[in-house]
Amino acid sequence: MVGYDPSNREATPSPEEAALAGSAAGMVTRALISPFDVLKIRFQLQIEPVSTRRAEGKYRGLFQASRCIHSEEGLSAFWKGHIPAQLLSICFGAVQFASFELLTEVVHETTPYDSQTAGVHFVCGGLAACSATVVCQPLDTLRTRFAAQGEPKVYSNLRHAVSTMCRSEGVLTFYRGLSPTLMAVFPYAGLQFFSYNVFKKLLAPPPKAGNSGANLRSLVCGSGAGMISKAITYPFDLFKKRLQVGGFEAARVHFGQVRSYRGLVDCMLQIAREEGVRGFFKGLSPSLVKAALSTGFTFFWYEFFLNAMRNLREEQTTNSLAKDFEER
């Protein structure tokens, strides 16, 4: 079970174990879902309507966009920005899960609330994600810039991107879109942990069944939690992406129209005026697919690596006891 468990403290991971398992889960998951992330970002940054009936926008659907990107930029385009994205996933997973485990323990030890309730998981999950966001926002901005650029590339590699952005736009450019990110990430991550907690309890096996099928339940529960949280908080993710590519308009001209925004409110008003309410949900389809896979795999791999570390720890303890017994 994710979170501090007072009934089984031996099974509760330390912050170090949670950070290691979280970073490993983020790394594996990112490699698997990167193509959906690139598709989502391309749709989010497209000003023209996303419609299969009218050929106004460059990208008009999941399959059409996939074929278009593959034919124009090659298979590797689906992993554009993969290095900063991997760094982001490793860093975010480590900070988020270590913070979450620590926060649930603090709540249980210092308040009358049970650390395994869904409400506590909502609050602790949201706060943990906010702390991870502040730490990892520069990597997220770099990831978005790489995924957004076409051919020829504006940034040849990570070092070139960092130096160019610092020189031409200043250090604060790495925190573009932080406000909508924080506004979205608290309820988004909170709902992830909340829904995961609820689904795990609903799908819990009978006591006699033991822990059979635990990995599959983690995947299913995580996928459901990811889709629910993404659907509710999606517009803020779109606002963040639009703001993150501010000052990057030249690299996006051949994709279609470009816009400049003065801030979050101006971004919201321009989208509402020019693209309508549907504009707030551009890229929702690949985002839901990505959210289901991403969250499902994240919780799956997190619990998988925690169990592996727990089994290794128990094996080492058993071997140590056996060695002490033999020496006596």
Side-chain angles (χ1 to χ4, degrees), residues 30-40 66 69 77-79 286:
R30 172 60 60 183
L32 295 172
I33 56 90
S34 181
F36 294 101
D37 206 27
V38 171
L39 284 166
K40 179 198 74 167
S66 299
I69 293 172
F78 292 104
W79 280 268

Side-chain angles (χ1 to χ4, degrees), residues 238-250:
L238 184 137
F239 302 150
K240 177 185 76 172
K241 292 296 184 292
R242 293 285 182 96
L243 292 170
Q244 283 181 326
V245 294
F248 193 57
E249 290 80 10

